[in-house]
Amino acid sequence: MATPLADDVRPRATVRTDVERALVVTAHPDDVDFGAGGTVAAWTAAGIEVAYCICTSGDAGGYDDTPRAAMGPLREAEQLAAAAAVGVQDVQFLRYPDGRLTASIELRRDISRQIRRFRPDRVLTQSPEIWWRRLGASHPDHRAAGEAALAAVYPDARNPFAHPELLAEEGLDAWTVGELWVMGAPDERVDHVVDVTETFDHKIAALRAHHSQTGHWPDLDGRIRTWNADWAARSGLPGGRLAEAFQVVPIG
């Protein structure tokens, strides 16, 4: 049974309607597809150009006897296929070591580079906070990616004097992101849901592309459907609908 959201955390955010480009920053291949695959598919269907910045190659993941040296390239290939399933072609891998990600100044710089390169109106990333109800969403790498992405959005990417080598050596001018979306946020932070009923099949196709991570699940569709149905019910959508949940942060 779905657990009702407290009145003070029911979806209420006002989101921008003039978004042309959105950048997704995550720790691992597959993170975006679990947390926001349906939303990304809806964005691309609406004509929004979406790019991914993946901080690691997921080389510490997997559930079979794939050699460790092969896991990173395999997961990158899976992410490229998954991205194509939801209409994304621009995928950049930063290749930090999986399981050892920290919100370092180097990671902030590298995410700022992608923001300045792609010039998004919106950035979607992971929560730097712990979500106690679903701890798996709060992997330390997820939180590090979220913290670094937040710092890249504000103040790094918009500040022409931060990471001066990006401008001096690469010609990447400062860029101000207008809106930040956070997935995997604690319940009390959630203030916006996206109805992904019509794009759910694209989300599942993307997740199936991550065979090294989901191939051992006998009922992938049912498992993910249950999660998304829970958010739809908790946010007051009609029965049978599916939703993904976010914290939306306007950037002044």
Side-chain angles (χ1 to χ4, degrees), residues 15-22 48 120-122 178-179:
V15 301
R16 291 182 55 168
T17 59
D18 59 345
V19 172
E20 296 181 357
R21 293 180 302 278
I48 296 174
D121 307 299
R122 173 184 293 156
E179 187 176 74

Side-chain angles (χ1 to χ4, degrees), residues 100-227:
R100 291 183 280 169
L101 198 65
T102 62
S104 64
I105 194 68
E106 292 81 11
L107 181 58
R108 288 168 53 178
R109 178 204 60 210
D110 291 347
I111 296 172
S112 295
R113 175 184 289 111
Q114 296 305 317
I115 291 173
R116 293 187 183 189
R117 176 189 70 84
F118 189 64
R119 303 170 77 81
D121 307 299
R122 173 184 293 156
V123 166
L124 165 63
T125 192
Q126 293 163 296
S127 178
E129 299 184 84
I130 295 175
W131 183 16
W132 293 106
R133 187 170 70 88
R134 187 166 286 160
L135 193 59
S138 301
H139 187 292
D141 283 0
H142 296 184
R143 289 184 278 125
E147 182 180 346
L150 174 59
V153 167
Y154 180 84
D156 292 0
R158 62 165 48 189
N159 182 356
F161 307 110
H163 312 298
E165 64 273 24
L166 295 180
L167 178 59
E169 299 174 12
E170 302 177 41
L172 295 172
D173 290 322
W175 178 258
T176 298
V177 175
E179 187 176 74
L180 178 70
W181 285 37
V182 179
M183 62 182 178
D187 292 311
E188 64 272 18
R189 304 289 191 209
V190 170
D191 57 9
H192 183 65
V193 298
V194 175
D195 187 328
V196 298
T197 311
E198 306 307 324
T199 56
F200 184 76
D201 287 347
H202 295 280
K203 176 186 177 88
I204 292 298
L207 286 169
R208 290 194 190 285
H210 297 284
H211 184 75
S212 67
Q213 309 305 299
T214 63
H216 63 293
W217 287 5
D219 185 18
L220 176 65
D221 185 296
R223 187 169 185 171
I224 304 303
R225 186 178 296 273
T226 296
W227 293 351

Side-chain angles (χ1 to χ4, degrees), residues 27-29 35 42 47 73 77 85 87 95 145 171 180 207 231 251:
H28 310 113
R95 300 193 172 103
L180 178 70
L207 286 169
W231 271 119
I251 308 297

